[in-house]
Amino acid sequence: MSNEGTKTIPDDQKPVILLCIGCSLIASSVFLFLKSIWKACYKTSKLPRKATIVLFFEFLVSVGAAILTIVAMPHLDIVTNVTILNGVAVLSTLLQVIAQCTAKERNRFLLPSITAFILILLGYTLFLALYIMKDPTDIKMAIWVGLAVGGSFLVSFNWWETYFRLIGDNSSSVFLKSLCKDMTKCQNVLHILSSLLRIVVTACVLGAYVPLAKMDWVIVKSIPSRETRIIAITIGIQLISSALCHWFAVAACKMHALRRCFILPLYLASLAVMALLVVPVIVYYQEYRISLNGTASINFTSYCSVVVDGRNQSLKDSVFPNLVLDVTHTLCFLDMSKITDVGILTGNELVPMSWWLGLVLATLHLWYLNVYRIQRTQDLFVRRLYEGAFIEQSLLLNTRFKALETVMVYLCATMWHETYDEMMNIIISIFRLDKYRPKTDPKYNDFTFEAHIYFDDAFEQVEGSQERHLNKYAKNLVEIIQQFPDQKVIRTPYGGRVVITMPHGNNIVVHFKDKELIRHKKRWSQISFDYHYFLFSRSYFYIKNHNTYLLALDGDTDFQPAAVMLLIDRLKMYPRVGAACGRIHPTGSGPAVWFQKFEYAISHWLQKTAEHVFGCVLCSPGCFSLFRAAALMDNNVMKKYSTKSMEASHYIQYDQGEDRWLCTLLLKQGWRVEYNAASDAYTNAPEDFKELYNQRRRWGPSTMANVVDLLGSSNIISQKNPSISKPFMFYQLFSIISAILAPATISGVQLVCSLAFILNIHSAAALVMSVIPPAIYLGLCFKLKADTQITIAAVLSVMYAFLMLVVTMSIIGSMVKDKTILTPSSIFVIAMTTIYIITAIMHPQEFPIVFYGVLYIICIPSAYLLLTIYSMVNMNNVSWGTRETKPAAGAATPAANTPQTTKQKGRFYFCGTQCNTRPVLLFEEQEFWMELQGRYLKPLPDDKERQKKIASDLRELRNKINFAFFFLNALWLVATFTLQVFEAVLSIKIPKFNYSLVETGDKIQIDPIALMFIVGFALSVIIQFLAMLYHRVYTLIHYVAFLDTEPREQRHEKQDSYQQGKKVFTTIPFVSTNTNLN
């Protein structure tokens, strides 16, 4: 449309077309500028030292792009304009040759690079010769051709950075190395400066060329609507298609579809565009010749004169025929009857083919590169964004790929009082992983692993014996592992160790801990593993390279190898990811488990995805999470994590939710925590009411303590952690305030509505009635034992469940009574139901869980009112609460430790076979364990006085926090009560609409606090819903990439080779001495 003589847009309106071309040129620069501004504000904004060199090249590129597209191309034919873009690879091929010549090893792509350089130069030579030979006296055409060649050569400087990095890596040049390092550290500021420079240069070239070409900018203000619509649609298609092409190209690389969905389509793009433009020209020309019915003989020149140039300029019919004729106009200078002009059109098949083949050979190495799934965009492409004018060339020449190293994964499972079946779950899962990544098969080299199981408090005192024997839970594990013959028993300073070699070469190491030798509980097991295997063992050397990971597991976790692989991908691709968790599925049966299934689903579907997208996941569950060793051993992470609880608040934050506290430490240190929705793991959930309440009694105060800790350090964290911004911290502040006010909100809003509707009483009276039961329960919780509190809560939960059914029916009844659905409560219920159903549809494999939502709704008072009261009042109880067992009546009491002889110290039995008495551990490892136990893991002394003091401090802390917590809820209730008493004055009145959306003339009164709650909660859910949609897209990309890269023989396995085992009852004497085993 910008070519002289085209009639879709008249000549006097060409400045508008040129302006749009300029906009398409700078569109990517504008996006880059905005993205870099955001990254500089929220991540890093270091100033570059060598900005002049970078900006010099950016200036050359921007000048070349503007001259090529704005000045030269409008005067050339369509075939040349399409094919000349492939010639911008000329400098890239030259730099490829230099980079490969400076490489220390032989490169098989040297010859293709040299050939590509020669072909592109040949194309330029033929292009100049053929156009100048057409009419040597046409000085203007010579100028346009020269500007096209010069502009495309300057554009080829666009990818200098890619090859300068390669040359710098292969050479000893300090300047190149420092330049590349400076560009990496300061890329955000450099991108801001370069994008601004490109915008300014493009504007200057455009502003200077229009008056020089004797055109007037005034026409921009008076362009007709038809031409405006044509231009807007055309440019809009170009901008949108370029952006989509870039996004799909990135997605194709991440999905491991490099060849078929990235390289091949980009190779064929210019040929397809040329065919798309030229074929309609030929078709229209042939149709016109056929329409003459042989009455006249016409050639292409006559066709151009009569049909193309002779058409009515004010034609108002369809746009497409006019566009085809405009394309034809750019070819009308050719006389198809002359061999020379046919040669110019096709360049004797050499000019376009030379450029195209040159581009293909210049990027031939891409066919042989191995791309890892979900590779980071910055590892896929050197430059952050695309070039709008030559999208396919910019993607092909901008590509770079990073080699990945083999990683080491340590599985660390903790056990305590798991059942036989629960232990079988994790053992089977580990054996699945052994078969999936056999150590004996060299073709699986992406990761290796070693499994460790730490069994806490594995020994007990047996009456009549001076030695400590395995308890019944540890014996269950022994009964499972004894089936495998390749075992090695090792005496250790903390108890005993059994090393099992699995069928495919990987090892399981079972650590039986004696709590009289080493500190027990889950946190201390993780600490002992981290210090031993990340400091003492050889894996210490891998930590510096970020390629050693720890998979934290519970003793009952069931998982598939694919789930581990998906978590490894996250840490492997993103160096600042310190931890990644998967989708946890609670297993079991009964109403308590059904409630948890929906609760877990909503938490993962919406809350965790929102945290992942907008900031960081705040809690990576200890039952199935992958941690980076370098993150765990970072300053103030493991050192702080191994801190012994000294104050009352420590017992709540440190010991009641150790996984959340560990994530808090990682976030404070600047690490990112992520969530992968396709990584599924299954763990047993509490099946009875009491166990569920005791579990949440631990989780509730711990969650609140850690979130408050993060909010208190929000300024420091937002500066240190690039993934956490102040808006994200504000989102967390809103969430914690909502959680604190949940009891008052449920009592003052939800229950009030139902009571007022059922009993037909005033809302203020309904509020008083709704507050009385929870207030009585609150008072009883301070006086009664925990078990009695739970019993009362269970009775009240049943009563509230029936009441919540009435609440649901009351909302429906209110819609029918008021003959409208346009009330805030009705809109809220319909919107939330719709969002939850759509969210479930977006998770098709989990869709049946949505039916548990009915149980979840009627249990809201129990979960967010009664449970909150119970957990807050009992926060001074720091016992674990689940899987605890009481000593059986008449059980033997532990005997006092008595000195043992050397012979007794050497006695160590396993599977009925007496092992030799010599130490098995290396002396250095023995010394390490002794030092580690003395510094961090020494059993805590049984200090009665200190225990009394801690219990007193916990009660005092409980009282202070409960006063503030329930005082805020009381204020919220008083405010609600006041507004309801004076609802005639203070309520908000909105017009009432019927089902036909016709205003009835009546008004609906709304409580301001209720409206605020509805709006706030709805806004939060909508934000989470949008984050979920975004997260699902990238989860799909990751999962498709995984399926494409999974070995075919493993993909087609129909059945799990390892089935659930049956319990074998045997007696296994395994005894440990309560002494230092040197």
Side-chain angles (χ1 to χ4, degrees), residues 32-298:
L32 177 60
F33 175 76
L34 297 175
K35 187 174 183 178
S36 301
I37 285 288
W38 179 81
K39 285 181 174 289
C41 293
Y42 289 102
K43 295 189 177 182
T44 177
S45 57
K46 294 183 179 180
L47 297 177
R49 297 180 180 179
K50 296 179 173 61
T52 306
I53 299 174
V54 179
L55 295 180
F56 171 73
F57 285 112
E58 293 295 329
F59 174 77
L60 294 180
V61 173
S62 55
V63 169
I67 290 176
L68 177 64
T69 56
I70 296 175
V71 180
M73 279 186 167
H75 302 279
L76 303 177
D77 64 273
I78 192 67
V79 175
T80 300
N81 287 339
V82 172
T83 57
I84 197 174
L85 297 178
N86 293 326
V88 298
V90 57
L91 186 63
S92 296
T93 57
L94 179 61
L95 292 176
Q96 274 186 23
V97 173
I98 297 173
Q100 293 170 25
C101 289
T102 58
K104 298 179 181 179
E105 57 184 13
R106 224 173 135 187
N107 198 312
R108 57 179 172 172
F109 298 107
L110 178 59
L111 182 60
S113 298
I114 296 174
T115 307
F117 180 67
I118 295 173
L119 284 174
I120 293 176
L121 287 182
L122 176 63
Y124 279 120
T125 303
L126 291 174
F127 170 64
L128 289 170
L130 290 173
Y131 262 90
I132 293 175
M133 286 173 55
K134 169 66 179 175
D135 187 1
T137 61
D138 192 349
I139 304 300
K140 286 187 176 182
M141 180 55 67
I143 294 175
W144 305 138
V145 171
L147 288 175
V149 174
S152 60
F153 180 78
L154 291 178
V155 170
S156 65
F157 281 93
N158 195 44
W159 303 280
W160 66 275
E161 182 182 345
T162 304
Y163 303 101
F164 270 45
R165 290 181 183 273
L166 293 175
I167 297 171
D169 293 339
N170 297 327
S171 69
S172 58
S173 174
V174 178
F175 172 77
L176 285 179
K177 292 182 183 296
S178 61
L179 175 62
C180 296
K181 187 176 181 180
D182 189 50
M183 288 189 298
T184 302
K185 288 186 176 181
C186 311
Q187 61 176 346
N188 290 329
V189 175
L190 283 174
H191 286 152
I192 292 173
L193 297 176
S194 62
S195 58
L196 286 176
L197 178 64
R198 286 197 171 204
I199 294 171
V200 171
V201 170
T202 304
C204 291
V205 172
L206 180 61
Y209 173 68
V210 168
L212 287 176
K214 297 182 173 27
M215 291 183 282
D216 195 346
W217 283 113
V218 177
I219 193 63
V220 175
K221 301 180 181 179
S222 57
I223 184 171
S225 59
R226 177 178 179 272
E227 283 74 7
T228 302
R229 186 170 60 254
I230 294 172
I231 295 171
I233 293 174
T234 306
I235 298 300
I237 291 174
Q238 197 277 335
L239 294 177
I240 294 173
S241 60
S242 297
L244 289 177
C245 180
H246 176 260
W247 188 88
F248 281 112
V250 174
C253 294
K254 289 178 179 289
M255 293 168 64
H256 207 264
L258 177 67
R259 295 175 181 85
R260 63 181 180 272
C261 297
F262 177 76
I263 301 175
L264 189 60
L266 292 179
Y267 280 167
L268 300 177
S270 58
L271 301 180
V273 170
M274 188 164 57
L276 182 66
L277 295 174
V278 175
V279 168
V281 173
I282 298 174
V283 170
Y284 273 50
Y285 172 52
Q286 295 297 331
E287 287 181 351
Y288 179 74
R289 294 184 63 182
I290 295 173
S291 67
L292 296 177
N293 293 324
T295 58
S297 177
I298 188 169

Side-chain angles (χ1 to χ4, degrees), residues 880-1049:
W880 201 249
T882 55
R883 298 188 185 275
E884 291 183 335
T885 57
K886 297 181 180 179
T893 57
N897 294 337
T898 58
Q900 296 177 334
T901 65
T902 305
K903 183 177 180 180
Q904 288 174 330
K905 291 182 181 180
R907 293 176 61 84
F908 193 80
Y909 293 92
F910 181 73
C911 296
T913 303
Q914 183 172 344
C915 303
N916 56 38
T917 58
R918 66 181 178 84
V920 179
L921 288 183
L922 296 174
F923 176 77
E924 292 81 2
E925 188 173 0
Q926 290 273 2
E927 291 292 321
F928 177 83
W929 274 111
M930 297 303 298
E931 182 181 355
L932 184 63
Q933 287 176 245
R935 181 177 297 182
Y936 297 112
L937 303 176
K938 184 178 180 180
L940 297 175
D942 189 10
D943 189 343
K944 299 295 184 183
E945 292 298 326
R946 173 168 175 75
Q947 291 176 3
K948 290 181 180 179
K949 183 180 183 304
I950 291 298
S952 176
D953 292 344
L954 283 169
R955 283 193 297 271
E956 184 179 355
L957 178 66
R958 185 271 311 267
N959 294 337
K960 291 179 180 178
I961 294 177
N962 273 257
F963 174 78
F965 184 90
F966 292 109
F967 181 74
L968 290 174
N969 278 270
L971 291 178
W972 188 255
L973 287 172
V974 169
T976 305
F977 180 78
T978 304
L979 290 172
Q980 289 172 350
V981 170
F982 299 99
E983 62 179 356
V985 179
L986 300 176
S987 61
I988 299 174
K989 298 180 180 180
I990 61 173
K992 179 180 177 181
F993 295 85
N994 58 20
Y995 296 126
S996 302
L997 302 181
V998 177
E999 187 173 352
T1000 62
D1002 298 332
K1003 300 291 183 181
I1004 300 176
Q1005 292 185 347
I1006 303 174
D1007 180 0
I1009 289 185
L1011 180 63
M1012 184 172 64
F1013 162 75
I1014 292 174
V1015 172
F1017 185 79
L1019 181 62
S1020 175
V1021 173
I1022 290 172
I1023 291 174
Q1024 293 173 355
F1025 179 74
L1026 296 176
M1028 181 274 300
L1029 294 177
Y1030 177 87
H1031 192 264
R1032 292 307 290 170
V1033 172
Y1034 284 93
T1035 300
L1036 178 63
I1037 290 174
H1038 190 181
Y1039 191 68
V1040 171
F1042 171 76
L1043 292 179
D1044 190 60
T1045 55
E1046 187 182 13
R1048 292 185 180 273
E1049 60 271 18

